[in-house]
Amino acid sequence: MQLALDLKAEIMELKGARNAVILAHNYQTGDIQDVADYVGDSLGLAYHAKMTDADVIVFCGVHFMAETAKIVNPAKIVVLPDKDAGCSLEQSCPADKLAAFLETNRQKNYYVIAYINCSGGVKALCDVICTSGNAVKIVNQAPADRPILFVPDANLGAWVMEQTGRKMDLWQGSCYVHVEFTRDSINRIKAEYPDALVVAHPECTQAVRLLADEVCSTEKMVSFCRNAPVKDIIVVTESGMLHRLKRECPDKNLIPGPTDRCACADCRYMKMNTMEKLRNCLRDLAPRVEMNEDIRKRAELPLLRMLEQSK
Ligand code: 13P
Ligand code: SF4
């Protein structure tokens, strides 16, 4: 207990000394969320990264999120607690494979929409970025006379097609955490809580999305739970979300969506960050996100377009 308090005090002191801002994703552990200046989804984090006047951005999330902060803040130091915190969606779409696909299909003149869960190299190849929070809005603004290629999440892409009626070609990537929820695992927990509402992330499969009362980004889950007319809510996403929701909606009974193997689902990448590593990265200003300037510049355009189009 004393050790945890000391660590927290050390982080706060270093944060002040470095003029740093701590941004944390909703899937971070509770102790990290509690020391962050801002906790949110990918969209909110991208806005905060763009607006901050801090000298150092400490990004508690996964690598592509920290890289996004660097893309819009080339002059700032961006650090993350664990540089190996990756993402299965990012891994499913390497930039060289996407470049080769676009070259082979050059005659199609694709308008490429990339979900933010991808590398800077992939962002540099696309026309616009989207997050789960603004994907419908972004797809609705795509040029009507060009075919859309949506990368890398096929489940999110399929959900956006259902919402917009716009046909898209989908890269076949997926989030290894969200595809673990199944129709059976969600039906079982629904049977236990027959009055509960279900909120699910759009990275889930269609079989799971069909069982949900609401499908939305992690940030929108907060307002959904707050305004829900019932007490019991089954939350079908990564387990860190429960900490944020319990803080924001203390009067609700928030039930983690189970998988066939576990009572809840953890993202092993998000959970690589710890309070010790957070202290260390503030103290050492490392590991830092560094980017090739040509790729950064090319990746910045579709990101700024996203921020503009999602206003
Ligand atoms: P959100 O932008 O909805 O927080 O999603 C990010 C993510 O990585 C989901 O797995
Ligand atoms: Fe990537 Fe899935 Fe982890 Fe989100 S939960 S960071 S999409 S692996």
Side-chain angles (χ1 to χ4, degrees):
M1 184 67 182
Q2 188 53 44
L3 215 63
L5 285 176
D6 289 351
L7 199 51
K8 189 173 171 179
E10 216 183 322
I11 287 169
M12 289 312 188
E13 201 181 310
L14 282 163
K15 186 171 85 97
R18 300 291 194 202
N19 187 27
V21 66
I22 302 179
L23 305 180
H25 187 265
N26 286 320
Y27 295 163
Q28 291 295 283
T29 53
D31 49 4
I32 293 182
Q33 290 192 29
D34 292 347
V35 295
D37 295 291
Y38 175 78
V39 183
D41 68 356
S42 309
L43 184 59
L45 289 163
Y47 272 116
H48 272 75
K50 175 93 183 94
M51 304 318 276
T52 185
D53 54 12
D55 296 321
V56 175
I57 299 174
V58 181
F59 210 110
C60 299
V62 292
H63 186 272
F64 78 79
M65 294 178 172
E67 194 176 52
T68 303
K70 183 69 180 176
I71 291 170
V72 292
N73 281 298
K76 289 194 197 299
I77 294 173
V78 179
V79 292
L80 70 168
D82 192 317
K83 69 172 173 27
D84 296 325
C87 169
S88 68
L89 273 169
E90 176 181 355
Q91 288 152 17
S92 69
C93 186
D96 57 345
K97 273 208 173 138
L98 176 60
F101 179 86
L102 291 173
E103 183 55 34
T104 310
N105 293 280
R106 197 207 279 255
Q107 78 294 349
K108 289 205 170 150
N109 190 25
Y110 274 124
Y111 185 74
V112 184
I113 303 182
Y115 184 34
I116 199 162
N117 295 39
C118 63
S119 67
V122 166
K123 289 184 176 77
L125 290 168
C126 74
D127 293 288
V128 68
I129 308 293
C130 73
T131 70
S132 60
N134 63 15
V136 168
K137 218 174 187 178
I138 298 293
V139 169
N140 276 332
Q141 293 174 73
D145 58 348
R146 285 176 68 186
I148 299 176
L149 174 67
F150 188 90
V151 303
D153 189 1
N155 287 308
L156 175 70
W159 175 72
V160 175
M161 285 208 282
E162 291 159 19
Q163 300 300 303
T164 61
R166 183 84 194 253
K167 162 131 187 29
M168 305 192 290
D169 289 339
L170 306 177
W171 194 269
Q172 291 303 305
S174 62
C175 161
Y176 92 97
V177 180
H178 286 87
V179 298
E180 284 263 299
F181 301 110
T182 65
R183 192 194 329 240
D184 284 354
S185 72
I186 302 307
N187 270 333
R188 271 198 300 274
I189 193 84
K190 270 170 74 104
E192 250 182 79
Y193 296 91
D195 297 328
L197 289 180
V198 177
V199 61
H201 197 274
E203 289 172 12
C204 294
T205 62
Q206 190 194 34
V208 167
R209 294 197 309 270
L210 285 173
L211 296 174
D213 297 285
E214 176 71 343
V215 176
C216 60
S217 74
T218 59
E219 197 57 31
K220 289 184 187 164
M221 287 182 183
V222 176
S223 47
F224 176 81
C225 291
R226 197 180 284 134
N227 301 327
V230 297
K231 194 171 168 60
D232 295 344
I233 306 168
I234 298 166
V235 182
V236 189
T237 194
E238 207 270 352
S239 64
M241 191 65 215
L242 274 290
H243 179 83
R244 172 83 198 281
L245 287 174
K246 281 179 185 158
R247 209 171 64 183
E248 305 263 357
C249 315
D251 55 328
K252 301 291 185 196
N253 179 30
L254 300 153
I255 305 142
T259 68
D260 288 328
R261 294 183 298 115
C262 292
C264 65
D266 281 340
C267 171
R268 64 172 173 267
Y269 304 111
M270 286 281 180
K271 298 306 194 259
M272 287 168 96
N273 296 330
T274 62
M275 288 288 272
E276 283 79 8
K277 290 182 197 172
L278 169 54
R279 185 266 321 272
N280 295 350
C281 80
L282 264 164
R283 185 192 59 203
D284 306 337
L285 292 182
R288 289 187 196 194
V289 178
E290 306 286 3
M291 283 191 84
N292 168 293
E293 181 56 12
D294 174 52
I295 293 179
R296 190 202 66 76
K297 272 199 192 130
R298 286 193 285 133
E300 189 177 22
L301 283 174
L303 251 176
L304 296 180
R305 190 171 290 142
M306 171 191 87
L307 294 177
E308 191 54 39
Q309 289 188 3
S310 57
K311 270 183 190 159

